[in-house]
Amino acid sequence: METRPWFSPLVEHIGGVSVAELAERFGTPLYVYDAEVILRRCEQLRRFPVVRYAQKACSNLAILRLLRSQGVVLDAVSAGEIVRALQAGYPAQGDPPPVVYTADIFDRPALELVARHGIHVNCGSADMMDQLAEAVGGQEITLRINPGFGHGHSQKTNTGGPQSKHGIWHEQLPECLKQAERLGHRVVGLHVHIGSGTDLEHLAQVCQAMEQLAGQAGPHLRSISAGGGLPVPYRPEEPELDLDRYHQLWEQTRDRISRQLGHPVQLEIEPGRFLVAESGYLVAEIRAVKRQGERTFWLVDAGFNDLARPVMYGAYHPLSLCRRNGNPAPEPLVEVSVGGPLCESGDIFTQEEGGYVVSRPMPQAQVGDLLVVGVAGAYGSVMGSNYNSKPLAAEVLVLEGTPYLIRRRQELEELLANEQVPPPLAQ
Ligand SMILES: *Cc1c(COP(=O)(O)O)cnc(C)c1O
């Protein structure tokens, strides 16, 4: 069994490097990624012929480079993510496409970049097919299908079904295929992503839907994509994904589709969270220890401007403590609630969906000790904002025992760099 340091109440090291030293050298709040964990996840996914990383989970260039070194290809959902992919050294074109633009719309900058570089497009709306044809003529495309049902760890991460804006509605596939043909597009792949945190029961449903859809999509189909959504345990008692079973279900589906069509079909998966979530930690400093009635609060220098998942989804993250003066034997735990610096009552790391503030048993701490938020690598730094005029946190990647700064902390001056006062107000 793999050791999972993110679940221990006290941590001293990340990837073999002292947390106290990281905080000293790079400051807090600080994102730290352990490359070893990412490499292990890549290894686990080797049995899939094409692993396409949904970079929106954590799109730092250094992380993209690390994944490129492992033969992982990329998904991009915006012009900015296409630029990142090219910057990370991915070629624009190839087989399988090194970069796929997956979205429900083209904004104008994205369409411009797709056209300029010949990036493969996975269309989530019929309008995208029109706009692509208008910009560059008929292309090989894939279609993202909404199979009519979805599943996610929260309503906000459910990306299938009638409430979801994502994908082409399954009943419209025949119409879309005709439209594609008229426009000169060739539909070479189908893609279904129904949400983050999918379980195996729902997966079987998705596989079935894919099989039906593939039958309609016909002779040019070369690939099917299972999307992402591979779950990651955020609590010690949550089970790990049964990857063997997951793989088996999809491989069987792929084989049946291949037989049905009479030619080989490639299987892609598109994980975001699975590859990076457990590698990442958010390190913050405890700046106040307060009692409010019966409740004890630790207030730290990181808030939902740094990690939005708790306030957005009521998401649970494991919390650990790193004492500045070393970690003595754990004494009786105390119940604490943990909040950040923002002027906003939702700025709480220990909350449940609906915003209820809860507490956790934690080792005792003092001002100056470090809070280490675990499983923060996915949808962490990428959702960072400048709310309350807070600069974006620094990011560090620990590679074979050496910490490298992969994003410097934003400077306060940079927060204002784009703003201008009109002359009438300038006196
Ligand atoms: C977000 C997203 C993913 C990745 O989801 P995870 O839950 O992080 O694996 C994959 N594909 C698409 C189209 C997505 O939007």
Side-chain angles (χ1 to χ4, degrees), residues 187-364:
V187 177
V188 296
L190 291 181
H191 170 278
V192 173
H193 170 78
I194 62 163
S196 289
T198 335
D199 56 48
L200 289 173
E201 211 172 297
H202 286 86
L203 192 64
Q205 241 183 316
V206 181
C207 288
Q208 244 178 14
M210 180 65 96
E211 213 175 312
Q212 274 191 347
L213 294 163
Q216 303 171 40
H220 301 304
L221 209 65
R222 287 203 303 260
S223 78
I224 55 168
S225 171
L230 286 72
V232 158
Y234 282 85
R235 302 174 195 247
E237 66 273 17
E238 278 170 10
E240 281 175 42
L241 172 65
D242 183 348
L243 209 50
D244 290 334
R245 185 80 190 112
Y246 182 93
H247 177 250
Q248 190 189 30
L249 272 168
W250 272 113
E251 201 175 45
Q252 288 169 349
T253 304
R254 192 265 320 268
D255 290 347
R256 281 198 297 272
I257 292 173
S258 293
R259 277 198 301 276
Q260 186 186 355
L261 297 177
H263 64 254
V265 170
Q266 181 90 284
L267 173 62
E268 286 199 3
I269 55 165
E270 206 175 63
R273 185 187 315 276
F274 183 84
L275 283 167
V276 294
E278 293 155 298
S279 77
Y281 300 81
L282 174 60
V283 180
E285 187 184 13
I286 300 175
R287 299 295 302 158
V289 177
K290 279 196 189 183
R291 285 190 66 84
Q292 313 277 64
E294 289 300 291
R295 203 182 277 278
T296 301
F297 277 95
W298 294 352
L299 299 186
V300 302
D301 62 2
F304 73 64
N305 55 307
D306 298 298
L307 179 65
R309 295 189 72 254
V311 71
M312 259 184 90
Y313 314 117
Y316 180 100
H317 282 269
L319 302 177
S320 316
L321 186 70
C322 174
R323 292 215 180 85
R324 288 276 191 182
N325 307 323
N327 288 330
E331 66 269 349
L333 301 178
V334 289
E335 286 289 325
V336 293
S337 302
V338 181
L342 303 181
C343 291
E344 179 93 30
S345 53
D347 187 28
I348 294 287
F349 288 110
T350 49
Q351 64 177 294
E352 292 176 346
E353 207 161 356
Y356 298 101
V357 178
V358 292
S359 63
R360 298 267 183 96
M362 296 291 296
Q364 292 188 36

Side-chain angles (χ1 to χ4, degrees), residues 31 33 56-57 282 303-309 312 376 378-387 390-393 395 407 410:
Y31 272 99
Y33 306 96
K56 73 174 196 273
L282 174 60
F304 73 64
N305 55 307
D306 298 298
L307 179 65
R309 295 189 72 254
M312 259 184 90
Y379 309 105
S381 66
V382 286
M383 284 194 189
S385 79
N386 290 131
Y387 188 47
K390 292 282 188 182
L392 296 179
E395 295 180 281
R407 185 177 76 183
Q410 205 175 21

